[in-house]
Amino acid sequence: MSTLQLAGSPREHILSLPYPLVFESGELLPQCQIAYQTWGKLNADRSNVVWVCHALTGNHRVHEWWGGLFGEGRLYDPADHFIVCVNVPSSCYGTSGPVSSGLYRRFPQTTIRDMVQCLEIVRKELNIEKISTLIGASLGGQQALEWTVANPSAIDSLVLIATNAYHSPFGIAFNEAQRLAISADPTFQENRPEGGRNGMIAARSVAMLSYRSYLGYALTQSESDTQKTDGFLASSYQRYQGEKLASRFDAFSYWYLSKAMDSHNVSRGRGKLAEVLGSIDLPVQVIGVDSDMLFPVSEQYFLADSIPGARLDVISSDFGHDGFLVEYDQLEAILGHFKSKNEKQAAGRQTELNHG
Ligand code: COA
């Protein structure tokens, strides 16, 4: 394990596995490395772990994309919490993926369960027995739910935001439309990091439609010039977002991660979905976004109805699925309530133990 940054700030680590990673498909990655970030310090009884699972094009640098919730003076302050986030396999931020491995389209098929396997490897590496709060949104929520079902004893409380128990036909269709855009770019067949770049720009533009909303576009991309017949703001927004992603992401990771999202089904090989979700026995907070079309509120109701004792809150946003990245005040209020309730319960349990 090598440490790349100074202590005090978020610290980036690379774990090189001394053995091949075996994927759910049975395929092997002979040499695998996992990038992850830790932030803050483990307390004496190792009870202050907040573990974040990142979304599709996110990364382990939580401060870069969830700064409204994580950081000094925020709800999850590294002065109080040990914050961990792992870059998932198939991504392109340091954990082995299609480009960094040199395997490109021959990289092993990756599922949410393969991601969870890497989370478990890092948990053991850090010698963490219990995660106080596991939190994930979107693809991150899929990992968090899968991990809770796979190893419930490692998790004390769970936050699921704008996610689902299995990926929907609508979500898979959106992802397939994006993969069609990528594969229509002939350079996707070339084994070089920029392969499929233009296809991915088109794919991201498609994805933005599913991340935002009719009203969100109306609020931010409406024209003041009513005489326009071309060169619309909404057009340049779509292109900008595509280019912006292409400056930090590659088409091969995008392809594999979207397939991983499609693979998500927490009941695969485990029996009836109702029984799988019904077996979860820990405090769970589910949060939906009222305008989210990709992971609609109906999916959040389903999770909360199926997981015993789970609490559901729905935040109000004009920005659809992106609500989980922009509606900090509402998220903070809900998560703050969940956090203090769990802390009070934990303190109560400790008092009972002390009195014996
Ligand atoms: N033409 C060109 N660029 C435009 C524009 C236009 N008409 N309108 C806005 N922009 C630019 C802004 O200048 C800004 O640029 P910057 O990011 O370089 O500062 C950018 O578009 C963001 O604008 P907007 O999307 O309106 O901001 P936001 O605060 O509402 O949302 C994000 C921020 C990060 C959530 C959003 O931009 C985004 O990336 N969404 C996708 C997130 C994602 O990957 N979700 C997947 C989860 S599975």
Side-chain angles (χ1 to χ4, degrees):
M1 187 173 80
S2 70
T3 301
L4 305 179
Q5 280 184 276
L6 293 173
S9 53
R11 296 174 70 194
E12 222 168 291
H13 313 264
I14 299 286
L15 176 62
S16 296
L17 301 189
Y19 50 82
L21 189 72
V22 183
F23 286 68
E24 192 182 352
S25 65
E27 294 166 274
L28 288 183
L29 189 60
Q31 311 226 303
C32 179
Q33 66 172 36
I34 303 174
Y36 65 96
Q37 179 175 279
T38 58
W39 197 8
K41 285 200 174 113
L42 264 172
N43 59 7
D45 60 1
R46 310 176 89 77
S47 64
N48 64 336
V49 178
V50 177
W51 195 298
V52 184
C53 300
H54 73 74
L56 191 86
T57 58
N59 59 37
H60 50 300
R61 297 169 198 141
V62 185
H63 57 290
E64 289 181 0
W65 53 271
W66 239 357
L69 290 177
F70 290 83
E72 199 186 328
R74 302 291 180 190
L75 183 67
Y76 299 110
D77 189 327
D80 304 320
H81 299 283
F82 185 62
I83 301 157
V84 187
C85 187
V86 175
N87 184 220
V88 296
S90 270
S91 181
C92 49
Y93 284 94
T95 295
S96 298
V99 170
S100 65
S101 65
L103 291 168
Y104 291 89
R105 282 162 291 103
R106 288 183 295 107
F107 194 78
Q109 182 198 358
T110 305
T111 67
I112 299 294
R113 292 185 186 181
D114 297 320
M115 296 174 180
V116 166
Q117 183 188 183
C118 290
L119 304 183
E120 268 290 294
I121 290 169
V122 174
R123 183 181 72 81
K124 287 178 184 153
E125 171 73 15
L126 292 172
N127 198 16
I128 291 171
E129 204 178 313
K130 280 273 188 188
I131 293 164
S132 170
T133 303
L134 175 63
I135 175 167
S138 196
L139 180 99
Q142 294 179 333
Q143 294 163 58
L145 181 61
E146 171 62 34
W147 198 7
T148 303
V149 168
N151 189 2
S153 64
I155 296 143
D156 269 344
S157 71
L158 172 68
V159 179
L160 300 171
I161 308 175
T163 192
N164 51 23
Y166 58 91
H167 206 42
S168 67
F170 185 72
I172 294 169
F174 249 111
N175 283 339
E176 187 64 24
Q178 293 170 56
R179 289 189 293 267
L180 283 170
I182 291 173
S183 58
D185 179 342
T187 68
F188 187 57
Q189 301 310 314
E190 298 170 14
N191 288 350
R192 56 186 180 90
E194 301 76 27
R197 185 178 188 278
N198 286 336
M200 187 181 68
I201 289 172
R204 179 63 163 185
S205 170
V206 171
M208 289 309 293
L209 300 174
S210 72
Y211 298 156
R212 311 286 286 190
S213 71
Y214 179 93
L215 190 57
Y217 276 92
L219 286 171
T220 62
Q221 304 302 326
S222 285
E223 305 289 339
S224 52
D225 175 3
T226 54
Q227 304 308 308
K228 251 188 198 177
T229 56
D230 199 1
F232 292 103
L233 288 172
S235 302
S236 77
Y237 179 76
Q238 293 302 96
R239 285 196 306 275
Y240 179 80
Q241 289 292 345
E243 294 278 357
K244 191 177 169 190
L245 184 73
S247 69
R248 66 176 182 88
F249 219 81
D250 69 73
F252 303 95
S253 283
Y254 199 93
W255 177 283
Y256 274 87
L257 294 176
S258 74
K259 286 263 186 189
M261 182 179 269
D262 292 356
S263 78
H264 174 59
N265 186 338
V266 82
S267 71
R268 184 168 63 254
R270 294 186 174 123
K272 290 200 172 82
L273 180 58
E275 285 166 19
V276 172
L277 293 175
S279 72
I280 296 176
D281 181 22
L282 73 172
V284 177
Q285 171 73 59
V286 180
I287 303 177
V289 184
D290 60 356
S291 55
D292 188 342
M293 73 159 102
L294 190 58
F295 292 81
V297 165
S298 57
E299 292 188 337
Q300 316 317 311
Y301 274 103
F302 177 75
L303 285 171
D305 286 347
S306 309
I307 300 172
R311 182 188 159 97
L312 171 70
D313 285 278
V314 176
I315 64 175
S316 169
S317 178
D318 296 327
F319 297 103
H321 190 56
D322 268 0
F324 85 84
L325 291 167
V326 297
E327 304 293 353
Y328 284 125
D329 289 349
Q330 295 183 70
L331 286 170
E332 192 177 335
I334 297 163
L335 293 172
H337 182 261
F338 184 65
K339 185 170 172 248
S340 57
K341 201 169 119 197
N342 290 334
E343 283 170 355
K344 269 186 209 138
Q345 278 172 0
R349 280 196 301 272
Q350 193 57 47
T351 311
E352 272 173 33
L353 277 177
N354 294 345
H355 290 85

